[in-house]
Amino acid sequence: MWIYEKKLEYPVKIKNPNPQTAQIIISQLGGPDGELGASMRYLHQRYSCPYSKVTGILTDVGTEELAHLEIVAAILHQLTRNLTPEQIAGTPFATYFVDHTTGIYPVSAAGVPFDIKYIASKGDLITDLNEDLAADAAILQEQTLSKNRRKPCKRRIFRTSAKRSKFATLLSYKNNIKHFYQKINLIY
Amino acid sequence: MVDRYAGRGAFRNNSSSCSSCGCNDNKDCQKLKQRLQAVDFSLIDTVLYLDAYPDSCEALGYYHKLKKERQMLMEALSESCNMPITSFDNASTDSWNWTDSPWPWEPAAN
């Protein structure tokens, strides 16, 4: 079970509202490689995982993704504070505003509502870890490409890289179960 | 049928532990966890009640009574049973016990 902690994993304090940036960042919330997908991916894959220590990683990484989901929502909330109609009209955010005003609704940058079809859970550890790696590769690419990164975003790139190397390490030993065990032991 | 828990026990026993623990299967620890589940269930409902009726002194008193017992149970589970309930509750300084006990969805945990 989960208990809510009334704090962000990393602080968010945005000086100037910017609906254009919000319309891009919202993909990190409800897009195909967003935090909602990431958290649902790990937290659903963990049940069929046959190794307790890997289950631990999926549980803890999935839990952290939920914390990221909140950080991204906080960024979006602060980017869309106290907007005037002039600041909204004519920006890419205007079409989102029609249906959701400044409410936080998980969609992609193109406005496609979140779809659980973005994730996979196949009951097979190697298959699922490969999917995790593919999803993280996409996220890492997007994060590295975006310019004018601010602190929370830079921190997320670091977090994604760390997670990615963890999954890669687990996977690189897939053909040698003995090494696979040893490597997992090393991680801890 | 594939026994999906077959590999787990062996793996758990192999886990590097510097101190003698292995009391996860202890019946007393299981009882402590069941008590924690009951206390938390009440605590969750009390919190929801207090969210709706923040001025209820009776509910606040009950909340504190439960909170105290919860703290006691959490400490007992992590320190005496090596069964940390959250990943921040690993009491041992020389072994990582977080992934040793069964996961909540496994029959062995219930």
Side-chain angles (χ1 to χ4, degrees):
Chain A
M1 69 169 280
W2 278 266
I3 297 171
Y4 182 69
E5 288 200 4
K6 199 178 173 180
K7 63 176 173 61
L8 290 178
E9 188 193 351
Y10 194 90
V12 174
K13 206 174 173 92
I14 289 166
K15 278 183 191 145
N16 304 311
N18 188 330
Q20 288 96 328
T21 309
Q23 189 59 31
I24 293 167
I25 292 192
I26 200 156
S27 239
Q28 203 58 249
L29 189 86
D33 306 305
E35 304 292 351
L36 185 54
S39 54
M40 292 302 106
R41 175 177 296 115
Y42 307 131
L43 292 178
H44 285 93
Q45 287 175 350
R46 69 197 177 121
Y47 297 95
S48 56
C49 176
Y51 306 113
S52 190
K53 295 196 179 189
V54 183
T55 310
I57 293 175
L58 290 172
T59 301
D60 297 338
V61 169
T63 300
E64 194 189 356
E65 300 300 343
L66 289 176
H68 293 169
L69 189 70
E70 189 184 33
I71 295 175
V72 174
I75 293 172
L76 292 168
H77 170 70
Q78 292 185 20
L79 280 172
T80 55
R81 258 177 323 164
N82 308 323
L83 292 176
T84 61
E86 292 74 38
Q87 281 174 302
I88 299 167
T91 74
F93 182 71
T95 48
Y96 176 92
F97 188 83
V98 171
D99 291 325
H100 310 291
T101 68
T102 53
I104 303 294
Y105 184 69
V107 297
S108 72
V112 180
F114 176 76
D115 193 332
I116 202 66
K117 285 174 186 162
Y118 295 146
I119 76 159
S121 178
K122 293 294 180 185
D124 175 79
L125 178 60
I126 303 303
T127 311
D128 286 348
L129 280 175
N130 270 299
E131 204 254 338
D132 299 349
L133 218 48
D136 272 352
I139 296 166
L140 205 56
Q141 247 171 359
E142 283 163 19
Q143 288 174 347
T144 316
L145 281 175
S146 63
K147 283 178 184 166
N148 301 322
R149 293 186 302 265
R150 298 293 189 267
K151 245 179 153 183
C153 299
K154 282 182 183 163
R155 167 118 183 108
R156 286 218 57 252
I157 294 173
F158 170 73
R159 297 299 303 149
T160 309
S161 305
K163 183 158 52 101
R164 194 171 149 70
S165 63
K166 190 164 270 188
F167 289 139
T169 315
L170 292 175
L171 257 183
S172 64
Y173 286 87
K174 66 180 175 185
N175 294 325
N176 188 329
I177 292 300
K178 199 182 164 193
H179 277 151
F180 186 60
Y181 282 127
Q182 285 172 347
K183 200 67 195 176
I184 296 165
N185 274 325
L186 269 182
I187 287 173
Y188 287 101
Chain B
M1 271 300 276
V2 179
D3 182 2
R4 59 177 66 194
Y5 304 110
R8 292 204 164 188
F11 194 40
R12 247 179 234 126
N13 295 338
N14 276 344
S15 67
S16 55
S17 170
C18 317
S19 60
S20 59
C21 58
C23 45
N24 294 335
D25 304 324
N26 191 313
K27 274 196 177 144
D28 290 338
C29 292
Q30 203 61 29
K31 281 227 171 81
L32 285 176
K33 201 180 77 181
Q34 280 169 1
R35 180 63 195 159
L36 180 68
Q37 284 177 301
V39 168
D40 276 2
F41 196 93
S42 307
L43 203 48
I44 288 165
D45 236 11
T46 310
V47 165
L48 290 174
Y49 185 88
L50 281 164
D51 284 344
Y53 305 101
D55 298 329
S56 168
C57 294
E58 205 186 341
L60 191 64
Y62 189 52
Y63 167 87
H64 280 293
K65 190 182 149 225
L66 291 167
K67 186 170 168 271
K68 203 175 159 189
E69 189 177 353
R70 173 177 213 273
Q71 198 177 347
M72 203 190 70
L73 289 163
M74 291 285 279
E75 272 170 27
L77 280 162
S78 52
E79 283 163 26
S80 314
C81 301
N82 281 325
M83 265 177 72
I85 294 296
T86 86
S87 58
F88 292 180
D89 294 328
N90 198 97
S92 170
T93 50
D94 54 16
S95 74
W96 181 242
N97 308 122
W98 170 230
T99 57
D100 291 347
S101 54
W103 291 95
W105 52 89
E106 292 176 356
N110 294 281

